[in-house]
Amino acid sequence: MTDDATRSRHGVFYAIAAYTMWGVAPIYFKWLQQVPALEILSHRIIWSFVLVLLLMVGLRRLHRIRPVLKNRAQMLRLTLATFLLGGNWFLFIWAINNNRLLDASLGYYINPLLNVAIGMLFFAERMRRFQLVAIALAVTGVLIQVISFGSVPWIALTLAFSFAIYGAIRKRLPVDSMTGLWLETTILLPIMLVYLLFFADSAASDMTANTWQLNLMLMAAGIVTTAPLLCFTAAAQRIRYATLGFFQYIGPSLMFILAVWVYGEPLAADKLVTFAIIWTALALYSIDTLLHQQRSRRA
């Protein structure tokens, strides 16, 4: 096997690992269901900050921080992206712990199609015919739910839009993922510490009074956040970004399975119709991407 083939195979492994970890992350948050979502988010920020800092020290990457800090325009954009990401994380945790995992799953199914639309509107990326059809189908699916069933999938739409806009901002920032994640957690860290120390009032807010098992679970939020991101970065370095895109459906698919068959969330008619249309749109999008890749190889 050639070096390129070995590298690609490792990339596929890392991609599957990343999206699988993101897909089963709801299990972890369900274990912490007795802890308020904002407290879980606080621990996610704090322990991610600590873990990524240790990794950057170990990998000798601290020198990458200063150039970003000295660039005011980059820091402003990174701060905006950070608050979008923080809101996305909070809503995701809240949705899981309030039995709305199906809505979260739908949001991450919509996300790749929204990325394509943002690429067309803001990055002057050309749209192929089937991509336009796929986006139109996704919009139709949401509108049918709103008009026919009178329910707005606000959780799914908020998750999809916040993460898509976050990704669009980060796409234009020349900051690697590990440095970016550490700076993002650094920006949110003071807010989370103030909340946890002075405003959090749940039974789990005082770590000195918790069991060691609960404290370990709270500290594991750093691993839950960092491990899939590192695998994703490793995959992106080894395989084509278009190829990587096909693995992104693993996450919401695992969330869907967990919601329906493990946690027993009802799959109401409005959600079922919307899911069916979104799945059709994603199938069209995937087929179009495969055909485009094949034509590019022949050219």
Side-chain angles (χ1 to χ4, degrees):
M1 186 176 288
T2 65
D3 288 343
D4 285 345
T6 302
R7 186 175 174 82
S8 294
R9 192 170 76 168
H10 289 165
V12 168
F13 168 79
Y14 283 123
I16 293 172
Y19 285 110
T20 299
M21 282 189 277
W22 275 323
V24 300
I27 297 173
Y28 165 78
F29 294 115
K30 281 286 189 182
W31 284 339
L32 291 172
Q33 198 163 13
Q34 77 275 21
V35 181
L38 196 53
E39 285 186 30
I40 298 175
L41 176 65
S42 300
H43 285 283
R44 188 172 189 177
I45 299 299
I46 293 165
W47 301 114
S48 295
F49 168 86
V50 173
L51 180 57
V52 177
L53 179 60
L54 291 174
L55 286 171
M56 292 187 70
V57 171
L59 296 171
R60 298 181 180 179
R61 294 187 181 181
L62 288 176
H63 65 280
R64 299 183 181 185
I65 298 171
R66 183 175 291 180
V68 186
L69 291 175
K70 291 172 67 176
N71 190 315
R72 186 176 179 182
Q74 286 186 9
M75 281 304 300
L76 284 173
R77 283 185 287 163
L78 186 64
T79 301
L80 175 59
T82 296
F83 282 102
L84 285 168
L85 182 64
N88 180 278
W89 282 355
F90 170 75
L91 183 58
F92 180 66
I93 297 167
W94 182 90
I96 292 167
N97 289 353
N98 284 272
N99 301 315
R100 305 291 293 270
L101 182 51
L102 271 176
D103 292 300
S105 171
L106 179 61
Y108 289 111
Y109 273 125
I110 293 172
N111 182 250
L113 297 172
L114 194 55
N115 287 339
V116 175
I118 287 175
M120 177 185 68
L121 293 172
F122 297 102
F123 299 116
E125 295 177 1
R126 295 185 63 184
M127 300 287 290
R128 297 187 295 275
R129 185 183 306 168
F130 280 118
Q131 289 180 321
L132 287 170
V133 173
I135 293 171
L137 274 175
V139 173
T140 302
V142 173
L143 287 177
I144 287 175
Q145 181 170 340
V146 173
I147 297 169
S148 298
F149 298 94
S151 60
V152 178
W154 66 271
I155 295 174
L157 292 175
T158 305
L159 287 173
F161 272 91
S162 60
F163 199 68
I165 297 170
Y166 163 79
I169 295 171
R170 288 289 276 113
K171 180 182 175 70
R172 287 295 180 92
L173 282 174
V175 183
D176 67 271
S177 59
M178 189 177 293
T179 304
L181 178 61
W182 187 78
L183 287 169
E184 287 162 354
T185 56
T186 302
I187 290 167
L188 293 173
L189 184 66
I191 301 171
M192 296 295 98
L193 284 173
V194 168
Y195 168 75
L196 204 57
L197 292 173
F198 300 105
F199 296 98
D201 58 359
S202 78
S205 59
D206 182 2
M207 293 188 73
T208 61
N210 292 341
T211 63
W212 65 268
Q213 294 96 331
L214 177 56
N215 282 338
L216 276 181
M217 286 292 294
L218 291 170
M219 294 169 69
I223 299 173
V224 171
T225 301
T226 306
L229 180 65
L230 294 178
C231 286
F232 175 82
T233 303
Q237 292 170 346
R238 288 165 173 80
I239 58 178
R240 289 161 52 91
Y241 206 75
T243 305
L244 185 62
F246 286 108
F247 294 99
Q248 66 190 331
Y249 307 131
I250 293 174
S253 297
L254 288 172
M255 292 178 201
F256 182 88
I257 291 168
L258 286 171
V260 176
W261 284 287
V262 177
Y263 299 118
E265 290 189 20
L267 186 57
D270 58 341
K271 286 191 177 68
L272 183 58
V273 170
T274 304
F275 268 109
I277 295 174
I278 297 294
W279 287 332
T280 303
L282 290 172
L284 274 177
Y285 170 72
S286 300
I287 292 168
D288 175 76
T289 304
L290 278 173
L291 292 174
H292 180 71
Q293 285 181 354
Q294 290 174 357
R295 286 193 294 267
S296 298
R297 290 193 192 102
R298 294 194 196 105

